Structure formats: structure tokens, C-alpha cells
Amino acid sequence: MLPAIGLGTWKTFDVNEKASDPQKNVLINLLAKQATAVDTSPMYGQSEELIGNLSVPLNVNHKLFVATKVWTTGREAGIDQMNNSFSLLKRKKIELMQVHNLVDWKTHYKTLQQWKEEGKIKYIGITHYVNSAHDEIADIIKSTPMDFVQINYSITARNIEKKLLRLAEEKKVALMINQPYNGGSIFNLVRNKKIPAWAAEFDCYTWPQFFLKYILADPAVTCIIPGTSNPVHMAENLMAGIGKLPNEKQRQQMIQFIEA
């Protein structure tokens, strides 16, 4: 089973190892609650290398559900880039390899199918982070067997609810959610505001829980990967994966509260 809350590393893990104590403690806090998913990409600067270099001394590399990406054009360039990711992440097998933002996805998909058959990767995925890509993502999973889709979703960016959620559920595609805080802007709406008392009905006592539990409550959602380099925030995010989730009536109440 894949724990419902994981870690995104865009920007947050693109640092030199000498200055990486916060990131090290983020990984420690992630594993402390038996969470495992860490998402990265060659696009994210030093993130892949830092994950590899931090996780091995901590003796947790083998415990991680590593998701990374291929982000280039051409078959050979894709193979070279993915092999480099294996090296940086200090892995012989990677759980999830995704085509980043659909870049040359048909070419890379053929390689990923072969690597999956060979046992080099466990799952194949595609990713994007903008609403305008949702229709293309939907068309792909209608016609192409896919294990994972990574896509943007938050209580203030709900375009995915139009059709992609139910389609993924129908096609049995796991959904990994990025941008759950809408780039962080979502917290501006609730600054200096208290959590409504009724949120306690679904074990929600902080704003991170509020925003993440809204997403997790949809049965199509598999895992959310909020990015952070703050160990305290990592611990707060993980609490959304514990306790009750809101029902549909409560989710509508959550939307109305935020929109007001």
C-alpha cells in the first residue's frame, strides 16, 4: 500500500548537500510516519542527487517509493537521462518513472514498457501541472494503458473534477496529486483565520489538514505530494493522512467556506 501523503521536491530539494540539514530532517519526518513517496525529476536541479546522498546514510533509500521523470526528447536522450537518474538516486530499480509534462511521451512510453517488463521500473506514469493539459491527459488514458497520472488539484483549482477523476477511477489509474496548495497561494485565503469548528468532525485541526483532506476524500486520489523543505511542515502534512476524511456533504461545506 502507498501511504496517502508523500513529498514533492521541486525547488525545495535543489540545494547543495552542505546546506541540506532541513531536507535531511524532512526525510526523517516522512519515514517517521511510515510515509514513503518522494517525487523528483531531472528538471529539479540537484534534487535527485540530494535524495540519493541523504537517503543512503540514513539507511532509508530502500524504504522509499521513488518517483522520478524523463524530461527530454528522443529515445536515446531519454535512456541516457533515466540511467543518470538511477545513478543519482543510487537505485537499481525505481518504483515510478513518469514522462514529465508529456514531453515526447510516445517515444519514452515504448522504453518504459520495455523497462517495466525487465523489472527496472515498477510503474509507468505521465505528469502535468496545468488545467489546460487535463483534456490531453484524459485522451491518453482512454487509449493507452497507464499506471499513474500526476496532476494538479486543490480546493481552489478543481478542474480535475470535471471528468479526469472519474475517468482515472474507471481506468484504474492511480492519481498522484501535485500543487495541492495551489503554489502556496491557498494559505493567503485563510491567513489569521481559525479552522471552522465543524472540521473536527473529520479529524481536521490545521489548515494543511483541511486542504489535503479535501483532496484525499475523493476515492480516485492515491497520493498527494506537497513540496517542502521544512521538517515541521512535513510533519503537519502527514497528519492529513490520519483519521477520518470528509464526506461529500462536508466537502461542499469546505468549498463554500473557502469561497466565502
Side-chain angles (χ1 to χ4, degrees), residues 26-74:
V26 164
L27 287 179
I28 289 171
N29 284 356
L30 178 80
L31 272 297
K33 293 292 184 183
Q34 288 80 50
T36 56
V38 176
D39 177 77
T40 186
S41 170
M43 180 190 179
Y44 301 168
Q46 300 177 81
S47 296
E48 286 182 315
E49 184 175 15
L50 188 64
I51 291 165
N53 288 345
L54 291 178
S55 62
V56 170
L58 288 171
N59 195 32
V60 298
N61 187 284
H62 64 290
K63 297 180 180 180
L64 296 177
F65 181 100
V66 172
T68 192
K69 308 178 183 80
V70 54
W71 183 60
T72 188
T73 56

Side-chain angles (χ1 to χ4, degrees), residues 83-100:
N83 280 331
N84 188 54
S85 292
F86 274 80
S87 177
L88 293 173
L89 289 161
K90 304 192 183 321
R91 282 300 196 92
K92 293 182 179 179
K93 180 177 180 178
I94 285 176
E95 283 72 28
L96 172 59
M97 185 66 76
Q98 306 155 104
V99 183
H100 199 150

Side-chain angles (χ1 to χ4, degrees), residues 188-224:
N188 294 330
L189 300 174
V190 295
R191 197 175 305 280
N192 300 321
K193 292 182 173 62
K194 292 183 178 180
I195 294 279
W198 45 261
E201 296 171 9
F202 46 90
D203 299 323
C204 178
Y205 306 99
T206 69
W207 287 119
Q209 282 182 309
F210 190 93
F211 297 131
L212 296 180
K213 278 178 178 275
Y214 173 83
I215 299 168
L216 279 180
D218 192 285
V221 171
T222 304
C223 179
I224 311 178

